[in-house]
Amino acid sequence: MLLQLPRQRTLSLDKPVVMGILNLTPDSFSDGGKFTHIDAALRQTEQMLNDGASIIDIGGESTRPGAADVSLTNELSRVIPIIKAIRQRFDCVISIDTSKAVVMSEAIQVGADIINDVRALQEEGALEVAVASQVPVCLMHMQGAPRTMQHKPVYQDVVQEVQQFLQQRADHCIAAGVQASNIILDPGFGFGKSLNHNYQLLQQLKQFVAMGMPVLAGMSRKSMIGDLLNLPAGQRMIGSVACAVIAVQAGAQIIRVHDVKETVQAVKVATAVQYGAE
Ligand code: 8Y4
């Protein structure tokens, strides 16, 4: 599998790759365009690239459980200067984590390569931006909205329902003009799922791989690890790495993580088992 990126570039997914999460300075101190915040983002990006990340995921909206919505102006001021700065300095693949059409469009204009949308291009104008730009898109499943999604999520069959949603969204995007080969699927770990729903999805991740599109798995530091092990976010690295290995064994192609160095080592071992050590 080969993703077609802007400016004649490609990203091979013949072997799994690691997507590093860029932590932007939180709202309360942040003014997006300020030198110190850009500098911190550049340092963190350089570290993740040196540690073996293939994609840098940049987001200005908090989609954590309970989080409030972020205004368009705030989101733009957080991510656009940082994408510009990274694009100037590094020849890396950049994904923009947003659901807003305007943010997608401006981010792609200044150098973003992939749309990572936890709302699967369902917001006004988002699908149109994806079609016009022809960049790869990650379609993620979420039940409910971030503020309330963890209040007793219910499914009859979580694997089947999430699969059905992703197939419907993929079909709809293809009909609208998105290249089928540029669609990435993501079950959305932690997005309106109980602890057991998350582990059912991980156990059955092969079923998503069998849909024939690249699969992204984002479990890093999430409550499916913290609640199982009774550990705070800062102590979830080992559990997160275990989840990454299991995802690679199931055939997932993109692993979204905070701890790039440790995950890249583990993913390389799992990849050698799965695809050979060449
Ligand atoms: C601790 C640290 C606890 C982080 C929770 C979190 C995904 C995603 C997120 C995902 C895709 C998060 C933007 C949630 N998760 N995009 N984004 N897939 N495609 N929570 O699973 O990291 S944000």
Side-chain angles (χ1 to χ4, degrees):
M1 289 182 193
L2 198 69
L3 297 178
Q4 302 291 334
L5 307 178
R7 292 171 283 112
Q8 314 294 346
R9 293 169 309 135
T10 58
L11 177 66
S12 170
L13 297 178
D14 290 344
K15 286 180 176 181
V17 300
V18 168
M19 169 187 273
I21 302 165
L22 186 68
N23 291 307
L24 298 189
T25 315
D27 229 17
S28 34
F29 331 95
S30 177
D31 183 13
K34 286 253 172 72
F35 169 76
T36 47
H37 303 126
I38 294 180
D39 197 52
L42 286 171
R43 282 167 197 274
Q44 210 188 319
T45 297
E46 183 170 37
Q47 184 68 54
M48 291 197 289
L49 293 172
N50 285 337
D51 289 343
S54 300
I55 307 170
I56 304 297
D57 191 41
I58 305 173
E61 182 201 12
S62 180
T63 34
R64 284 184 181 215
D69 290 347
V70 175
S71 76
L72 174 63
T73 319
N74 276 334
E75 205 179 320
L76 284 171
S77 73
R78 281 193 218 176
V79 296
I80 300 302
I82 295 190
I83 295 171
K84 272 187 191 165
I86 293 173
R87 179 48 74 229
Q88 266 183 23
R89 186 88 74 92
F90 305 106
D91 177 27
C92 63
V93 178
I94 298 172
S95 67
I96 172 67
D97 153 24
T98 189
S99 297
K100 295 188 178 79
V102 174
V103 178
M104 291 173 186
S105 169
E106 294 205 14
I108 294 163
Q109 259 180 46
V110 298
D113 299 300
I114 297 174
I115 296 170
N116 175 25
D117 184 4
V118 301
R119 293 179 185 82
L121 303 179
Q122 294 179 105
E123 295 287 301
E124 181 92 38
L127 178 52
E128 288 77 3
V129 172
V131 171
S133 62
Q134 292 289 307
V135 302
V137 296
C138 179
L139 304 176
M140 200 197 77
H141 174 274
M142 165 160 48
Q143 184 182 85
R147 207 172 57 78
T148 53
M149 66 189 176
Q150 291 308 100
H151 300 166
K152 297 237 180 288
V154 173
Y155 299 86
Q156 210 182 50
D157 179 337
V158 67
V159 174
Q160 204 225 291
E161 286 174 48
V162 172
Q163 240 185 321
Q164 189 168 31
F165 169 83
L166 292 176
Q167 188 65 60
Q168 278 172 5
R169 286 307 298 161
D171 290 347
H172 184 77
C173 290
I174 292 164
V178 175
Q179 292 290 318
S181 58
N182 263 347
I183 296 178
I184 301 157
L185 303 179
D186 183 340
F189 291 100
F191 285 85
K193 281 104 182 171
S194 69
L195 184 63
N196 210 45
H197 293 142
N198 286 314
Y199 282 97
Q200 286 178 56
L201 288 168
L202 183 53
Q203 203 255 338
Q204 295 290 316
L205 196 64
K206 265 197 159 98
Q207 302 259 10
F208 293 89
V209 174
M211 292 169 73
M213 290 168 263
V215 168
L216 186 154
M219 297 175 276
S220 183
R221 298 188 188 173
K222 285 184 180 173
S223 62
M224 66 182 283
I225 295 151
D227 290 354
L228 191 77
L229 305 179
N230 239 290
L231 290 170
Q235 294 175 41
R236 298 176 187 175
M237 189 269 286
I238 294 171
S240 300
V241 169
C243 287
V245 167
I246 292 162
V248 169
Q249 275 189 310
Q253 287 88 351
I254 305 176
I255 314 296
R256 181 181 180 275
V257 302
H258 300 85
D259 301 292
V260 172
K261 185 177 188 169
E262 293 83 355
T263 308
V264 165
Q265 288 185 13
V267 163
K268 280 185 180 172
V269 171
T271 300
V273 174
Q274 192 83 350
Y275 303 90
E278 292 293 276

